[in-house]
Amino acid sequence: MSTLSPLHQRLAQQLTQREVAGTRRRLTQPAAGLVDFSSNDYLGLSRHPAVQAALQQAMAEAAGSTGSRLLTGNSAAAETLETHLAQFHRAEAALLFNSGYAANMGFFSAVPRRGDTILYDEASHASVKDGIRSSFATAWSFRHNDLADLERRLTRATGAVFVAVESLYSMDGDMAPLLELAALCRARGLYLVVDEAHSNGVYGPAGEGLVAALELEAEVFACILTFGKALGSQGAAVVGPAVLRDYLLNFSRPFIYTTALPPLTVASLTAAYQVLPQLSAERQRLFALSDYLKATLNAVPGLHVPPESHIIHPVFFPQQPGPETARRVAGAAQQAGFDVRPIVSPTVPVGTERLRLIVHSYNTVAEIDGLAAVLGQAITS
């Protein structure tokens, strides 16, 4: 029997450490028929008839991507979509990326240069942090939503200074203080970069996002828009000045050196953006259900949902913190027919393990009541 190499042993040891800590990740296939409180498909656009019809038509007409956008993967449909994205989100230009991760990597690794400074909220997504690590700029985090701490960091900043935040944070469901951030960046000559992954499609009169809803388009240097959430598809775009689009097209390695989005995705996104302005009733229902879920769960002994959460709701267990509780309660919910997932470290800091509940416009009050009953029973058993 062959002996494992030192590298094999090291990898196995690290996996064992996570197993012991209860934080080892595994792929699971979602069970059919569960009530969805986990996916990011906030408005149900992935199942909308117009989007489905566009996919069917594209399947009959379109071939594969065939290459990168700069070689054989570009298309009139992709450029038309980018023009619409820029107009819809009230920007000069837009550039498609294959995912929100690639868009954040592509922006932060290319635009801030040596001698520049990036100040980012400590709760920023991993893709923002990984993009920053790939940059030659100096970077510091500031405490979550803490403008005073951000201003303290500014005393050490040099060059072009970028402030990176999420409009709606993916794990806590709270919002960045965009009005105050925009005012600070305007006064100090900073470049505000907003990741709208979880607000795109949801906020604004036509779903333009939180930046547009607050009329801050002129105050934000770049928005990263992700399409795997409320748009029910995949991919992303960076929207901002026309010179930014041209610069990314020339210098952003995650854009240059990857195969283009497939025609099916471009078709589904084009259809979804045509439908989005018609979904104001669905957005209002989403907000109402979000408020109802938060109030209902906070009435259950042993559960706590922060008052500032919206659409994304972390559920904490103040009397029984830890990954074991999160996994046990999520398992009970799944057994009862609800798709609920635990979130544990290293995705969130140790001691902040939780359930992460997501509300959708297609959920019902009865489903929320049923979930609250199951969670209440699980936490006391």
Side-chain angles (χ1 to χ4, degrees):
M1 184 171 63
S2 61
T3 302
L4 291 178
S5 72
L7 177 59
H8 284 78
Q9 294 178 34
R10 189 182 78 194
L11 300 181
Q13 182 181 27
Q14 290 174 320
L15 287 170
T16 300
Q17 289 172 352
R18 285 210 169 171
E19 188 75 47
V20 171
T23 59
R24 183 172 178 175
R25 296 183 174 103
R26 290 180 171 85
L27 292 174
T28 60
Q29 295 188 10
L34 297 183
V35 178
D36 184 7
F37 281 101
S38 186
S39 82
N40 293 320
D41 190 16
Y42 300 116
L43 302 173
L45 267 174
S46 67
R47 60 187 77 178
H48 194 281
V51 176
Q52 292 296 315
L55 284 170
Q56 292 298 321
Q57 182 176 350
M59 287 175 65
E61 298 175 354
S65 301
T66 77
S68 73
R69 290 279 303 279
L70 290 168
L71 294 176
T72 60
N74 195 30
S75 66
E79 292 191 359
T80 298
L81 175 59
E82 287 173 333
T83 298
H84 181 73
L85 290 172
Q87 294 171 347
F88 187 84
H89 293 283
R90 305 170 196 167
E92 287 184 1
L95 186 66
L96 289 169
F97 282 79
N98 283 19
S99 68
Y101 196 101
N104 274 320
M105 282 288 296
F107 179 90
F108 286 103
S109 65
V111 179
R113 307 306 299 164
R114 193 183 305 275
D116 293 340
T117 306
I118 307 169
L119 301 174
Y120 64 97
D121 190 293
E122 64 183 358
S124 294
H125 192 265
S127 58
V128 173
K129 296 175 181 177
D130 287 353
I132 290 170
R133 291 190 186 103
S134 298
S135 170
F136 290 106
T138 300
W140 293 290
S141 66
F142 59 91
R143 286 195 293 269
H144 181 49
N145 282 346
D146 189 333
L147 268 69
D149 193 44
L150 168 60
E151 291 201 71
R152 282 191 289 271
R153 298 291 189 184
L154 282 173
T155 60
R156 304 167 62 188
T158 61
V161 181
F162 299 85
V163 176
V165 299
E166 295 180 32
S167 52
L168 180 69
Y169 284 90
S170 59
M171 285 297 130
D172 292 317
D174 58 344
M175 295 178 177
L178 288 181
L179 290 170
E180 294 85 352
L181 282 163
L184 173 64
C185 290
R186 180 174 62 252
R188 303 290 292 272
L190 317 178
Y191 296 95
L192 182 58
V193 182
V194 181
D195 185 336
E196 290 233 62
H198 291 276
S199 54
N200 182 30
V202 176
Y203 298 92
E208 305 96 325
L210 193 57
V211 168
L214 297 173
E215 299 182 345
L216 294 174
E217 303 95 317
E219 310 286 343
V220 175
F221 177 67
C223 282
I224 286 79
L225 308 169
T226 299
F227 306 137
K229 279 74 176 176
L231 273 296
S233 185
Q234 71 177 97
V238 177
V239 301
V243 67
L244 174 62
R245 181 187 189 276
D246 198 20
Y247 182 89
L248 291 171
L249 191 151
N250 279 274
F251 293 98
S252 177
R253 295 168 71 88
F255 173 84
I256 298 168
Y257 299 109
T258 193
T259 300
L261 284 171
L264 283 175
T265 299
V266 174
S268 71
L269 288 171
T270 300
Y273 265 92
Q274 294 299 323
V275 171
L276 201 55
Q278 307 167 23
L279 301 181
S280 58
E282 285 81 357
R283 284 186 281 272
Q284 292 307 311
R285 176 173 173 78
L286 174 65
F287 298 152
L289 288 172
S290 174
D291 291 341
Y292 182 78
L293 181 141
K294 182 164 51 179
T296 302
L297 293 187
N298 275 328
V300 176
L303 304 181
H304 173 66
V305 181
E308 60 271 16
S309 71
H310 199 221
I311 304 173
I312 301 168
H313 297 288
V315 182
F316 297 99
F317 316 100
Q319 286 77 46
Q320 303 178 46
E324 300 83 3
T325 301
R327 294 187 188 280
R328 176 175 60 81
V329 175
Q334 291 165 15
Q335 288 294 317
F338 298 96
D339 191 355
V340 170
R341 307 299 176 93
I343 306 294
V344 301
S345 65
T347 302
V348 294
V350 173
T352 68
E353 294 83 5
R354 68 201 63 182
L355 304 182
R356 179 175 178 260
L357 300 183
I358 293 183
V359 188
H360 313 85
S361 61
Y362 50 82
N363 287 132
T364 67
V365 167
E367 290 170 349
I368 293 172
D369 289 341
L371 175 62
V374 168
L375 297 182
Q377 183 176 9
I379 196 63
T380 57
S381 63

